[in-house]
Amino acid sequence: MKREIKVRGINMVFDDHGSGEVVVFVHGQPFNRSMWDQQVEAFKTNKRLIIPDLRGYGETGIPSGTTLLDELALDLIHLLEALQITKATFVGLSMGGQILFDLYRLAPQLFHAMILADTDAKAESAESYQARLQLAADLIERGMPSYTAGHLHRFLGKKTMAVQPEVVKHLREMMDSTNPLGAAAVQRGRAERRDHTAMLPHIHCPVLIIVGEEDGFTPVAVAEGMQAHISGAKLAVIKDASHMPNMEQPEIFNRHLELFLQTNA
């Protein structure tokens, strides 16, 4: 069920499905909550799924200036407080995973378990910091369709691009429909993100790390590095997928997620 609530000065839109153990899905950039459609269908009958559009994305309000990842984490804290949810399993992909690191730093007591998909705990390098700021300016000047045209193929694997036109179409629609002001604000915020590598050994909830085998943004080696520093973390590498394995290979992604949820119920 689609719901809307005032959170820290903006109207946050989110889906609230099912009942039982709570699983919160945090989308990546420049996407929206619809990227989790395949997970909704798989888990809505036996879990309570909370799936927000982050500020600046989808149907949620557009901020101005710079949106730090800390702010996006605080939004989630306030949302769960409003819903009287005190414990959940969190699933975050790419930027969503980076938000989970800040969320764990701020409110570790909320975590029953954590799934980190195609993400990285490190801060930006000096080069990538400048690239983020330049991208923010480009998004406003040129618009989202220009960004989509030049970057969509980097999010999807070769096989996905060749034989899954519906996935390509869905990704393009999400990217093109994102408000460039919201996306630019978050790009500026991501440039400032913390380095969470020192926190990894201090994560004390069950962790599953998932990565697409062809991911060029956060390669398998990055996922392996995080696994090495998080005690007891599990790793799943998904073939024929790049940065969006939950959309490219949803059955395999969901199988790993289901097994992890069952094991850590």
Side-chain angles (χ1 to χ4, degrees):
M1 178 178 67
K2 175 181 170 181
R3 299 179 63 184
E4 185 171 342
I5 192 170
K6 192 86 167 184
V7 173
R8 301 181 63 244
I10 62 166
N11 291 323
M12 174 173 273
V13 175
F14 64 99
D15 291 329
D16 187 346
H17 296 285
S19 62
E21 178 187 346
V22 178
V23 183
V24 180
F25 289 87
V26 187
H27 68 75
Q29 191 281 140
F31 310 123
N32 57 54
R33 71 188 193 277
S34 74
M35 67 167 276
W36 299 113
D37 284 352
Q38 297 286 347
Q39 285 65 56
V40 170
E41 289 306 310
F43 295 103
K44 67 181 180 181
T45 57
N46 58 7
K47 304 291 181 187
R48 183 181 180 186
L49 309 182
I50 304 297
I51 311 172
D53 276 337
L54 301 172
R55 66 168 58 209
Y57 293 94
E59 297 179 83
T60 290
I62 307 297
S64 60
T66 297
T67 303
L68 298 171
L69 297 189
D70 312 57
E71 294 183 75
L72 299 175
L74 282 170
D75 287 345
L76 295 176
I77 292 171
H78 282 251
L79 173 64
L80 295 182
E81 185 179 71
L83 298 176
Q84 299 183 314
I85 293 171
T86 58
K87 209 83 168 176
T89 293
F90 294 87
V91 186
L93 184 141
S94 190
M95 180 182 73
Q98 294 168 349
I99 294 167
L100 294 190
F101 289 129
D102 272 311
L103 182 61
Y104 190 87
R105 177 180 61 81
L106 294 169
Q109 73 279 2
L110 288 175
F111 283 76
H112 174 70
M114 182 189 311
I115 295 91
L116 300 165
D118 300 81
T119 195
D120 190 354
K122 295 193 298 294
E124 299 287 356
S125 65
E127 181 181 357
S128 62
Y129 177 91
Q130 292 299 327
R132 291 266 183 217
L133 297 183
Q134 183 59 55
L135 176 55
D138 290 344
L139 292 176
I140 293 174
E141 180 181 349
R142 302 176 186 175
M144 293 305 298
S146 175
Y147 175 80
T148 302
H151 292 80
L152 184 147
H153 68 281
R154 300 185 62 194
F155 290 95
L156 300 175
K158 294 179 180 178
K159 188 173 182 179
T160 305
M161 292 291 291
V163 302
Q164 295 199 69
E166 72 286 352
V167 174
V168 178
K169 181 176 182 288
H170 184 183
L171 199 70
R172 179 177 289 111
E173 289 173 348
M174 283 194 294
M175 295 172 75
D176 281 351
S177 65
T178 293
N179 189 303
L181 294 177
V186 171
Q187 287 293 353
R188 287 190 287 268
R190 290 184 78 189
E192 306 288 347
R193 76 177 191 262
R194 287 176 170 81
D195 190 326
H196 292 292
T197 51
M199 187 182 75
L200 297 182
H202 303 287
I203 294 176
H204 298 303
C205 68
V207 174
L208 170 64
I209 301 169
I210 301 176
V211 63
E213 189 176 50
E214 301 173 36
D215 193 341
F217 289 114
T218 53
V220 173
V222 170
E224 291 172 338
M226 290 193 297
Q227 182 194 24
H229 288 91
I230 302 174
S231 177
K234 307 298 183 184
L235 174 64
V237 180
I238 298 183
K239 294 184 177 181
D240 294 323
S242 179
H243 199 59
M244 309 294 293
N246 68 303
M247 294 176 63
E248 299 178 81
Q249 298 292 338
E251 291 184 2
I252 298 173
F253 184 97
N254 292 347
R255 194 180 312 140
H256 286 297
L257 183 52
E258 181 176 19
L259 179 60
F260 180 74
L261 293 173
Q262 289 175 347
T263 304
N264 296 284

